[in-house]
Amino acid sequence: MNLITLSEPRAVGSFTVYDVTGVHGGECFLFVNGDVTILIDSGFGFSSEKLYKNIRQVLGQRSLDYILLTHSHFDHCLGSGYLAQMYPDLKIICSSYAGKILAKESARTVMRRLDMAAAEAANENYTDFTHLLHADIYVEDGDLLDLNDTLIRAVSLPGHTKCSTGFYFEKDKIFHGCETMGILCSDRTVMPSFLVGYNMTCESIKKAAAYDMNYYFIPHQGFILHDDCREFFECSRNSHIAGRDLIISCHKKGMNTNQIIEEFEKAFFTDFIKKTYPKSSFLENINIQIPLIIKECG
């Protein structure tokens, strides 16, 4: 598979797409054409001002019209509240399930703690923007959004979180996925990223793969084209099965959690993925995945 990064603006269907990320690890892709401007995910809260500056460099005096949130994790959603202050006409869109999470003070408290830790790890100053967090439009699975004559279908893809959502641009056949589908770690391997269910993740992969797509966007990484899209989902399915079998096999051999993590790291945390995916995120995920697999599939 040929992963196309956004180190420079790329023509994608009727759009030009820019990486406007504030800080690495909270990647944000900006879709721009003559009709509409759409940001998918909004990164960390502490990097909101950098994100805004990057968007402003692209758009100039033009407004940001919409933000589409793939899920409610802090590194994907916290910048949206600040951007809403900068762009008064901006509309923030997420699933109804994600919207309930964003509105919960207990969830915001957790996000604030994680965002503060991420700022410290990145050696960045911390400003708390969690009080600005909100959504304006809520979608359910299959809803068709008309965003300034751009039709985008919301696709519920639970597995990474229960609120994980992909977005399918009907005309251009662009599918912006979510982390439920996994992250590319070699040209034939996809690192599993499920956190709430293995079997539901497999069903979500099958569901997304059924869409006719010319472009598939992988969160944090970039996009792939045409036949590579179909290959990605085949590799994702096979990698999830291989990851499941690896964990079960290690568990049956009596390995402890740290030993299983070492084996999983050898298989999936490749030099390729280290360029785009923090090890802290990998470790956080696998520590959840191991007991989940043992409980659900063991």
Side-chain angles (χ1 to χ4, degrees):
M1 277 175 284
N2 179 33
L3 176 67
I4 302 171
T5 65
L6 291 163
S7 54
E8 58 185 44
R10 301 282 186 171
V12 178
S14 64
F15 289 88
T16 302
V17 184
Y18 304 79
D19 184 344
V20 291
T21 301
V23 170
H24 171 63
E27 281 70 25
C28 309
F29 300 149
L30 177 63
F31 289 68
V32 179
N33 67 15
D35 298 316
V36 68
T37 59
I38 302 169
L39 182 69
I40 300 189
D41 286 335
S42 60
F44 302 107
F46 73 85
S47 61
S48 296
E49 292 169 316
K50 287 187 176 182
L51 172 61
Y52 170 66
K53 289 178 182 177
N54 292 341
I55 294 171
R56 187 69 182 269
Q57 282 185 340
V58 175
L59 298 183
Q61 296 302 311
R62 188 177 177 185
S63 180
L64 177 62
D65 298 321
Y66 299 97
I67 297 176
L68 304 179
L69 299 178
T70 62
H71 62 290
S72 59
H73 279 171
F74 79 106
D75 56 328
H76 288 257
C77 71
L78 276 186
S80 56
Y82 178 83
L83 292 179
Q85 299 293 300
M86 299 298 104
Y87 295 106
D89 295 327
L90 171 67
K91 299 299 182 185
I92 301 167
I93 301 171
C94 66
S95 72
S96 297
Y97 199 118
K100 292 177 182 177
I101 295 171
L102 300 185
K104 291 175 65 174
E105 187 54 41
S106 58
R108 293 184 181 190
T109 298
V110 173
M111 291 184 198
R112 190 178 301 115
R113 173 174 55 81
L114 294 172
D115 197 43
M116 190 179 301
E120 183 178 356
N123 199 27
E124 296 278 346
N125 294 326
Y126 179 73
T127 303
D128 180 18
F129 295 118
T130 54
H131 62 288
L132 301 175
L133 193 59
H134 71 281
D136 302 294
I137 299 171
Y138 303 105
V139 292
E140 305 293 345
D141 182 36
D143 283 354
L144 189 62
L145 295 159
D146 185 345
L147 307 185
N148 299 11
D149 295 327
T150 293
L151 299 179
I152 300 178
R153 191 170 300 278
V155 185
S156 178
L157 299 170
H160 180 64
T161 64
K162 291 182 180 179
C163 64
S164 293
T165 303
F167 296 97
Y168 181 69
F169 294 60
E170 299 263 322
K171 177 183 176 182
D172 292 308
K173 298 181 179 179
I174 301 167
F175 199 117
H176 192 294
C178 59
E179 287 188 62
T180 297
M181 306 295 100
I183 305 295
L184 199 62
C185 54
S186 78
D187 61 353
R188 295 290 302 170
T189 310
V190 174
M191 187 178 74
S193 296
F194 60 88
L195 297 177
V196 295
Y198 171 80
N199 288 317
M200 72 169 65
T201 294
C202 293
E203 287 300 314
S204 290
I205 293 168
K206 180 179 178 181
K207 179 180 181 179
Y211 278 80
D212 180 19
M213 61 187 82
N214 292 329
Y215 312 87
Y216 177 73
F217 277 77
I218 306 172
H220 296 290
Q221 293 186 308
F223 67 98
I224 51 181
L225 298 171
H226 306 301
D227 290 342
D228 282 350
C229 301
R230 182 172 63 253
E231 184 178 351
F232 173 85
F233 287 102
E234 291 174 359
C235 291
S236 179
R237 177 182 177 277
N238 293 336
S239 295
H240 277 78
I241 293 171
R244 176 201 65 188
D245 292 347
L246 174 62
I247 291 172
I248 294 299
S249 174
C250 290
H251 176 63
K252 287 182 177 179
K253 291 176 183 177
M255 292 184 179
N256 62 34
T257 297
N258 288 335
Q259 291 171 321
I260 298 175
I261 289 173
E262 287 180 7
E263 295 302 311
F264 205 86
E265 184 174 348
K266 291 176 187 176
F268 293 104
F269 199 63
T270 61
D271 288 340
F272 177 84
I273 201 170
K274 290 173 185 176
K275 300 175 184 177
T276 57
Y277 204 76
K279 187 170 183 178
S280 57
S281 297
F282 165 77
L283 291 173
E284 183 178 342
N285 287 359
I286 188 58
N287 273 288
I288 295 172
Q289 290 168 344
I290 290 170
L292 192 155
I293 283 290
I294 292 170
K295 179 180 179 180
E296 189 173 338
C297 306

